[in-house]
Amino acid sequence: MIEVTDLSLAIGGRLLLDRVDLRVSPGETYALLGPSGCGKSSLARLLTGLLPGRPAARETLAGRPAAGARWAGAARVCDTDMLAAGPRRLRRLYGRAIGLVVQGLGDALNPHLTVAGHVAEMLAVHGSDGRSVREICLDYDLPEVLHDRYPAHLSGGEIQRVLLALALIPRPRVLILDEPTASLDPASRDRALRSLARRAEERAQILITHDRDLAARFAARAGWLENGRLQPGLPARRPPATVLRDVAGSAPCRAGATARLRLQAVSHAVGNRCLFDGVSITIASGGCATVCGPSGSGKSTLARLAAGLIAPQQGEVTVLEGEEGSGKGRHLALPRAACALVSQHPHRAMAPHFTVREVLAEVLQAPERRPARVWPWPSRAARAATDDRIERLLTQVGLPVAADFLGRRVAVLSGGEAQRLAIARALARAPAFLVADEPTAALDADTRDQIVRLLADLVRRGAGLLLVTHDPAVAATLGGARHTLAGGVLMRLPDGERRGPAPASRPGAGAGVASGRAEHG
């Protein structure tokens, strides 16, 4: 079904794949793992004919920057040469022959169609077995509450469920899954895996994931892609990263620098659906609060409210200066001026035509930092200072600082690279409060640990952190006040209580963030 032979791939002069061989037979699931940015998603797009580019001589692939992708070798899917197939042939393959669940959720659905409309469109193209749209939706884990919603009103986890259903409904012979469970809560993840297991013997599947446990549970074989080479099996697990104990208490805020981000009696509804009612939470400088909950419970909306990107329909969101209860608290700034948001959909949050350097330079040279000028151009010293700051930001989040990466456009970044760039852009503002919405969902284990250490260090140095996550290990490692949002109610978990498995190593468990404060309504 899937046969890759001696395949090499370069994008912008960077060799992503180097003489890769891979064969996946009908009824087999192959798990593909590797560090963020190693080329897993590019291979998936190449196998589905969605990667624009052209063939080239193998010896010219690396070291010569060129627009688009260039490749050498062979890739056959469903007896079709995917490197030479034209648009008409590809259109006949999509759906019943080849299915793809993409990693970038932000623009994967038609914004003008409801969930039921997407399913009806799929049935109109590929045919129906006589069941209604409603029956098919329910069969593929799409409850009635989602049927009439548009993509703008869906959470990341709900979008992922819709994409998985749309890929499975035509019953393709080949299915390529790019991080299909990254944005799902544990319950939705289990349901998604049950859906994927149905009729799996009828198709060849490639599962791209960072989750070793998922690969071991779901796939018969696995391979590790790194530095262009695909090796069978997986390398030994590396020791888990640790964070500093009592990250808030180790570096208390300076006198006069204490501030609080406060959401008080906040309510928000979308249409006739109430996401949450009367929610209150406070995060202090040097404090951390985490919010977990099922997909669609309103966590991302709560994050956007906290960051000042949308206004609450009821209640208020403010940033206050001074210790709580001191009698000296005063309004300090609008949340948008004091907070930075790390979006769950990084590709949608950044201009796709911007280069990596332009994304960060735009923030560093924003009008609030220096007057915008068309002439004269910034001095050589000013440009050097900006470049130095950009290099330090990229190093903080584990991204390369080479010229070819700085010139790469957002649209061609992998999910993990885009996520880390979004974090770097948020840090470039030096915010008093960081609101992070699933900042580790698209990252491999090593990079995730690096980002967790970075977030812990920011809290230690006095920043406030509101973290939305499905990963209980990340929430437990960072410590602080932990909450669940479900049924419109935000509830604080008692100290020491956790949901889900603890991380493999968590020195200082229970120390948490000493100065994190939270209230719940």
Side-chain angles (χ1 to χ4, degrees):
M1 282 290 189
I2 303 174
E3 189 170 4
V4 175
T5 306
D6 204 27
L7 178 65
S8 297
L9 171 68
I11 298 179
R14 178 189 175 211
L15 192 64
L16 285 178
L17 306 178
D18 186 10
R19 298 184 180 274
V20 167
D21 294 304
L22 173 64
R23 181 181 178 86
V24 185
S25 303
E28 182 183 17
T29 297
Y30 180 88
L32 180 61
L33 294 87
S36 300
C38 68
K40 303 184 299 295
S41 296
S42 295
L43 177 59
R45 295 178 64 198
L46 191 67
L47 292 176
T48 52
L50 297 176
L51 188 67
R54 57 185 175 81
R58 192 181 306 276
E59 58 272 11
T60 67
L61 291 180
R64 184 180 299 177
R70 295 180 299 155
W71 53 71
R76 298 188 65 83
V77 179
C78 296
D79 299 321
T80 299
D81 183 357
M82 301 304 293
L83 304 182
R88 183 175 298 180
R89 173 60 179 161
L90 292 175
R91 281 195 296 269
R92 288 199 294 266
L93 289 174
Y94 294 147
R96 290 198 176 276
I98 301 175
L100 171 68
V101 176
V102 298
Q103 182 181 16
L105 306 179
D107 55 357
L109 296 175
N110 186 335
H112 306 294
L113 288 179
T114 63
V115 170
H118 279 90
V119 174
E121 184 181 57
M122 179 68 72
L123 297 177
V125 173
H126 299 291
S128 172
D129 56 7
R131 292 182 297 168
S132 67
V133 169
R134 176 183 175 277
E135 291 172 325
I136 291 176
C137 285
L138 295 177
D139 192 35
Y140 286 92
D141 190 30
L142 299 178
E144 288 191 25
V145 68
L146 300 181
H147 295 181
D148 295 327
R149 285 197 210 160
Y150 290 90
H153 298 153
L154 298 176
S155 71
E158 289 168 342
I159 292 176
Q160 204 152 36
R161 289 161 64 184
V162 173
L163 292 176
L164 185 58
L166 293 176
L168 290 172
I169 286 171
R171 297 174 63 174
R173 289 179 287 154
V174 169
L175 183 59
I176 298 178
L177 305 156
D178 194 355
E179 294 285 1
T181 62
S183 295
L184 298 180
D185 61 271
S188 298
R189 180 175 177 268
D190 290 341
R191 290 197 299 268
L193 293 179
R194 286 196 295 270
S195 296
L196 288 172
R198 290 166 51 190
R199 306 190 184 93
E201 68 282 356
E202 300 176 359
R203 58 183 179 262
Q205 297 185 141
I206 293 180
L207 171 66
I208 298 173
T209 181
H210 290 305
D211 189 335
R212 288 171 177 257
D213 295 331
L214 174 62
R217 171 182 173 184
F218 195 69
R221 291 189 298 129
W224 183 265
L225 181 62
E226 189 169 13
N227 297 325
R229 296 285 184 168
L230 180 61
Q231 303 294 335
L234 301 179
R237 291 180 184 265
R238 297 172 184 172
T242 59
V243 299
L244 299 173
R245 298 185 182 206
D246 194 11
V247 290
S250 62
C253 302
R254 296 185 305 273
T258 301
R260 288 169 286 125
L261 172 62
R262 186 178 69 184
L263 285 73
Q264 186 172 15
V266 171
S267 300
H268 200 84
V270 177
N272 295 325
R273 176 179 173 239
C274 179
L275 288 178
F276 40 80
D277 184 19
V279 164
S280 296
I281 183 171
T282 299
I283 303 99
S285 299
C288 173
T290 58
V291 178
C292 299
S295 299
S297 60
K299 301 184 301 298
S300 294
T301 301
L302 184 67
R304 291 170 60 83
L305 280 165
L309 297 185
I310 56 177
Q313 294 167 350
Q314 293 182 18
E316 63 176 6
V317 182
T318 55
V319 176
L320 302 173
E321 188 181 49
E323 290 285 357
E324 189 172 12
S326 65
K328 298 180 181 180
R330 64 182 180 88
H331 184 270
L332 177 66
L334 294 174
R336 191 164 185 175
C339 302
L341 174 70
V342 178
S343 173
Q344 185 181 14
H345 306 299
H347 279 103
R348 187 169 64 183
M350 297 179 288
H353 60 283
F354 270 30
T355 65
V356 170
R357 187 191 186 282
E358 289 169 343
V359 167
L360 298 178
E362 181 188 39
V363 178
L364 294 172
Q365 298 172 357
E368 63 265 24
R369 292 192 169 271
R370 67 171 181 83
R373 296 181 298 175
V374 175
W375 184 263
W377 293 105
S379 66
R380 180 177 300 179
R383 292 198 302 272
T386 298
D387 289 341
D388 179 66
R389 179 66 174 136
I390 287 173
E391 288 189 9
R392 283 187 283 130
L393 286 166
L394 293 176
T395 301
Q396 271 188 293
V397 298
L399 288 174
V401 296
D404 67 317
F405 184 79
L406 288 171
R408 201 174 300 171
R409 300 193 184 279
V410 169
V412 301
L413 297 179
S414 72
E417 289 170 336
Q419 187 66 277
R420 283 180 281 170
L421 180 58
I423 295 171
R425 187 182 67 165
L427 298 180
R429 294 179 52 191
F433 298 93
L434 184 66
V435 182
D437 188 1
E438 294 284 3
T440 61
L443 304 180
D444 62 273
D446 291 338
T447 307
R448 180 197 62 198
D449 289 344
Q450 180 178 1
I451 295 302
V452 170
R453 286 196 299 267
L454 173 62
L455 295 176
D457 186 58
L458 289 172
V459 175
R460 180 180 61 83
R461 289 188 283 134
L465 173 65
L466 175 60
L467 175 70
V468 173
T469 182
H470 283 307
D471 191 334
V474 171
T477 303
L478 283 170
R482 281 176 286 167
H483 306 74
T484 59
L485 180 61
V489 178
L490 182 70
M491 297 186 63
R492 178 170 177 173
L493 299 177
D495 292 341
E497 182 176 344
R498 55 181 171 82
R499 301 290 173 88
S505 175
R506 188 161 65 93
V513 180
S515 62
R517 300 188 183 94
E519 307 156 358
H520 62 82

